[in-house]
Amino acid sequence: PLAFALVALRKKSVNKSGAVGGFLVALACSMAGAQFLAALLWFFVSSTLLTRFGSKRKKQVEEDYKVGGQRSAIQVFSNALAGTVACVLWVVWDGAPQPLLVGVFLGHFACCCGDTWASEMGVAFTREGFSFWSQPFLITTFQAVPPGTNGGVSVVGTLASVMGGLSVGVVFALSAPGASVASVVACGAYGAAAGFGGSMIDSVLGATLQFSGVDRCGRVFNFPEEGVRHICGENILDNHQVNLVSSTATALLLGAMCAWGDHTLIDDEWYLAT
């Protein structure tokens, strides 16, 4: 966990407070088991690389873009709270409902990874003029909006959300003791569903409760400012709060599915640490 935090700080993926937050999250995941830590590392590394991808285009359309992300502690915990709580409960709660905690953890990080992949790929692949694959549409009205608009969805971004969630599920399953083809397929399917569903929840919240505006240079702003034309959303939630609400909701939904629904995901207790 310490090496994880120091490397992230050195690469400017986080600031100092973000490094402390990342250390605490990684510590909780490592104590829960290798599969939990592997899923966290995959989410962090893949998201950081995608944040850097297409940086020139992102600087043009996003007012607050930072190379590498440079996440603060608030951003870290907004994207890790429910999953971290699940890890802590896994360690300290004797007799905990383990299918529920597996579902909460997987749902949380699959949602966060899917939403991050969708946001980063959606903006990076936009081009001047209309493109069926990359043109973002507001999820509530289906009107075309500028790249980077909160609540904007595109074909590229939607596919990326599914792949991001799926990848977290596959990494989690492959890293667990007793992994099998069935467990990898099940976790991949659950992860893909959480990535897609969480991204849609995030988009609806962003389109309605988060401000989006554009200036004369075409840069998208997340807050009202002079010279910024309103696109959509009320100025009620910021990006961190939207991420927290959408990831927590997705985590609880998948946790409920695993605890009280189809137990394909947790058959034979293959996920237990040895």
Side-chain angles (χ1 to χ4, degrees):
L2 181 58
F4 167 76
L6 292 175
V7 170
L9 182 62
R10 183 180 179 85
K11 295 293 184 180
K12 297 183 178 181
S13 298
V14 295
N15 60 23
K16 291 181 179 179
S17 70
V20 174
F23 168 76
L24 295 175
V25 172
L27 179 63
C29 291
S30 64
M31 292 176 65
Q35 64 272 41
F36 295 92
L37 182 60
L40 169 68
L41 292 177
W42 171 252
F43 161 59
F44 175 78
V45 172
S46 64
S47 297
T48 298
L49 291 175
L50 286 180
T51 299
R52 297 175 185 273
F53 179 72
S55 59
K56 182 177 180 180
R57 177 59 174 160
K58 292 171 185 176
K59 289 178 182 178
Q60 296 173 341
V61 301
E62 295 180 348
E63 180 274 334
D64 59 350
Y65 174 74
K66 296 179 181 179
V67 176
Q70 299 180 29
R71 297 168 178 85
S72 66
I74 293 177
Q75 289 172 294
V76 169
F77 286 119
S78 295
N79 285 284
L81 184 59
T84 304
V85 170
C87 288
V88 172
L89 292 177
W90 182 279
V91 174
V92 303
W93 186 2
D94 186 28
Q98 291 170 330
L100 171 65
L101 297 182
V102 170
V104 168
F105 177 88
L106 184 56
H108 176 91
F109 282 107
C111 166
C112 291
C113 192
D115 181 60
T116 301
W117 283 32
S119 299
E120 302 299 340
M121 297 292 284
V123 174
F125 277 96
T126 54
R127 297 292 183 270
E128 298 294 335
F130 178 84
S131 169
F132 170 78
W133 296 101
S134 61
Q135 173 63 50
F137 295 88
L138 195 64
I139 192 170
T140 53
T141 64
F142 299 105
Q143 293 180 330
V145 291
T149 300
N150 298 310
V153 296
S154 66
V155 175
V156 169
T158 301
L159 291 175
S161 72
V162 174
M163 296 304 297
L166 184 150
S167 69
V168 169
V170 169
V171 169
F172 180 87
L174 289 176
S175 304
S180 65
V181 173
S183 67
V184 172
V185 171
C187 276
Y190 277 115
F196 172 77
S199 180
M200 294 300 104
I201 294 173
D202 186 281
S203 295
V204 171
L205 292 173
T208 56
L209 301 179
Q210 186 178 4
F211 178 90
S212 288
V214 62
D215 66 6
R216 286 179 292 181
C217 298
R219 294 181 302 169
V220 173
F221 284 68
N222 292 323
F223 51 88
E225 190 171 295
E226 185 177 353
V228 174
R229 177 177 60 84
H230 178 259
I231 301 173
C232 65
E234 301 296 328
N235 190 30
I236 297 176
L237 300 178
D238 62 22
N239 194 55
H240 310 319
Q241 293 166 334
V242 168
N243 289 339
L244 178 61
V245 173
S246 60
S247 61
T248 302
T250 306
L252 294 177
L253 286 171
L254 189 59
M257 288 177 61
C258 293
W260 295 290
D262 181 4
H263 281 198
T264 303
L265 176 61
I266 47 84
D267 277 349
D268 300 323
E269 298 183 339
W270 56 268
Y271 53 83
L272 295 176
T274 56

